[in-house]
Amino acid sequence: MAAPKISVLLPMYNVEDYVEHCLDSLLAQSCTDFEIIAVDDCSPDRSGEVAARVLAQQSRIPWKLVRNIENKGLAETRKIAALEARGDYVLCVDSDDCVHPDLVRTVLREAQQHDADIVNFAAERIYPDGTALPEIESGDGVITGVEAVQKVLELKLSAFCWNKLVRREIFVAAEHPCGLIFEDICVSVQTLANAKVVRLIPDRLYSYMVRESGISRRFNPQVVDLFSIMDRVEKSTASLPIADHKRLFFRLKYAWAYRAIAFQTAITAPTYYLASPILRSVSEKLRVKHLLGMFADRHLKLSIVMTMLKIHPWIFYCVVRRFNRR
């Protein structure tokens, strides 16, 4: 059997209630030039069994189910899937999300027309109440990989893995940080940096399902992984010919990452006792020059609130909780 052009990488962990819906959206694709590589990451529920049943009931799309003998985490599981893949390109899909029926047809057409290494597309977020918001834009054009990385640093291009079609050899060659969350940022920056041609398309082809148990909606001490992720991103982008790299990376690191760690912790932690160690870790890393840098970069409100964090994490916690009641 000839190898398909695209391999869909589908890691599974605790998605028994969602994976069938995800697979249904993949199996309903208008183009069949793809395969599904599903990996059961030692899930404690029946995710793997559900996937095997759904996939075995059809013969339209080739598939393979791999089972990790121990939990590897999302990043490493995606790489395991990529190493099992046969396609020229890989497409990451989270197994609790769903995709547009023309996803494969559209990204494959764009990749072939532009000889693109990466095709980046738009997505929507669907909230627990059913509200769908087109919050993840992509733009429209053909740019270089370095230009795409610059857009990530400028916070103009999202660094998710699941809204990008990527040449398999580029994806496999990237570092997939084991055991860390927010790993998409690290992987996306590296794959974009190694791409010659990046095609940006405005088509909204992916539905990201916002779950109450998701990373951004529950207290998770692992949010501090962003410190390590930022170090890796800085290392992988420092040598790229990006104008004003230092200022742009400062914005990504402090105005986005440090803010995300601090605000997410304050909003989601049920008590200050739980939030305190994380908020203190951010406070200790903040310097006066960083606060002044935020102010100079026209982030006045953020610089004021982060100054409160520097003065004392308890003040920051109270202010953020007061104005972000859930």
Side-chain angles (χ1 to χ4, degrees):
M1 182 182 294
K5 290 294 184 182
I6 294 176
S7 296
V8 173
L9 313 183
L10 189 73
M12 299 178 295
Y13 186 82
N14 272 349
V15 289
E16 178 181 350
D17 295 335
Y18 313 119
V19 67
E20 183 168 0
H21 182 54
C22 176
L23 284 169
D24 285 344
S25 71
L26 287 169
L27 297 174
Q29 289 296 300
S30 57
C31 172
T32 60
D33 199 0
F34 73 100
E35 66 178 354
I36 297 173
I37 308 296
V39 184
D40 181 350
D41 190 22
C42 199
S43 182
D45 66 1
R46 297 177 58 254
S47 298
E49 288 85 344
V50 172
R53 172 179 58 80
V54 173
L55 290 167
Q57 288 174 346
Q58 59 85 44
S59 57
R60 185 169 176 257
I61 306 300
W63 59 279
K64 184 173 186 178
L65 177 61
V66 179
R67 287 186 170 89
N68 292 341
I69 60 173
E70 60 182 13
N71 181 257
K72 297 289 188 178
L74 179 58
E76 193 168 348
T77 298
R78 281 176 175 161
K79 186 167 184 177
I80 289 170
L83 292 171
E84 296 283 346
R86 299 179 296 149
D88 296 331
Y89 293 89
V90 297
L91 187 64
C92 293
V93 175
D94 285 358
S95 47
D96 61 344
D97 294 333
C98 59
V99 300
H100 190 280
D102 286 328
L103 168 63
V104 171
R105 180 187 297 279
T106 303
V107 295
L108 182 56
R109 180 193 68 217
E110 296 296 330
Q112 292 175 332
Q113 285 183 357
H114 299 277
D115 192 22
D117 298 303
I118 295 176
V119 178
N120 191 97
F121 47 91
E124 64 182 355
R125 281 192 174 96
I126 298 183
Y127 289 85
D129 63 0
T131 302
L133 296 177
E135 297 177 338
I136 302 162
E137 302 298 336
S138 173
D140 189 354
V142 179
I143 60 177
T144 67
V146 172
E147 289 172 330
V149 173
Q150 179 164 336
K151 283 181 174 292
V152 171
L153 297 184
E154 293 171 339
L155 305 178
K156 294 179 179 178
L157 189 68
S158 61
F160 300 115
C161 286
W162 41 255
N163 72 332
K164 294 171 180 61
L165 178 77
V166 183
R167 284 199 193 273
R168 179 160 56 93
E169 62 265 27
I170 293 177
F171 186 83
V172 171
E175 176 194 10
H176 296 260
C178 181
L180 301 179
I181 62 173
F182 300 104
E183 69 288 328
D184 276 26
I185 305 167
C186 184
V187 176
S188 291
V189 166
Q190 288 183 63
T191 54
L192 290 168
N194 288 313
K196 292 181 180 179
V197 179
V198 177
R199 173 69 170 120
L200 307 177
I201 60 174
D203 307 59
R204 212 165 301 284
L205 301 172
Y206 193 100
S207 296
Y208 174 81
M209 312 300 289
V210 179
R211 310 286 181 188
E212 289 294 346
S213 59
I215 289 175
S216 64
R217 297 176 71 86
R218 60 180 170 83
F219 175 63
N220 186 352
Q222 250 193 295
V223 69
V224 295
D225 286 354
L226 258 177
F227 290 136
S228 178
I229 292 294
M230 285 298 104
D231 289 342
R232 294 168 190 241
V233 171
E234 183 172 25
K235 181 179 179 181
S236 63
T237 61
S239 61
L240 296 178
I242 294 176
D244 211 7
H245 173 274
K246 186 175 181 180
R247 183 180 66 84
L248 293 178
F249 183 75
F250 174 90
R251 181 180 298 170
L252 180 72
K253 185 173 183 178
Y254 294 99
W256 181 78
Y258 276 45
R259 177 191 181 280
I261 296 170
F263 275 76
Q264 184 173 318
T265 298
I267 292 169
T268 60
T271 65
Y272 176 68
Y273 175 79
L274 291 174
S276 178
I278 299 173
L279 295 180
R280 287 185 182 280
S281 71
V282 181
S283 178
E284 289 167 1
K285 291 177 181 291
L286 276 175
R287 301 287 183 267
V288 172
K289 65 178 181 180
H290 301 148
L291 298 169
L292 292 175
M294 291 180 202
F295 179 80
D297 202 33
R298 299 182 181 180
H299 292 282
L300 176 59
K301 291 181 180 179
L302 179 61
S303 63
I304 292 173
V305 177
M306 296 300 271
T307 298
M308 296 178 186
L309 175 61
K310 185 63 180 176
I311 294 171
H312 200 290
W314 181 82
I315 300 174
F316 174 87
Y317 179 82
C318 292
V319 170
V320 172
R321 298 284 290 192
R322 170 66 178 82
F323 292 99
N324 290 272
R325 295 189 184 278
R326 303 184 68 184

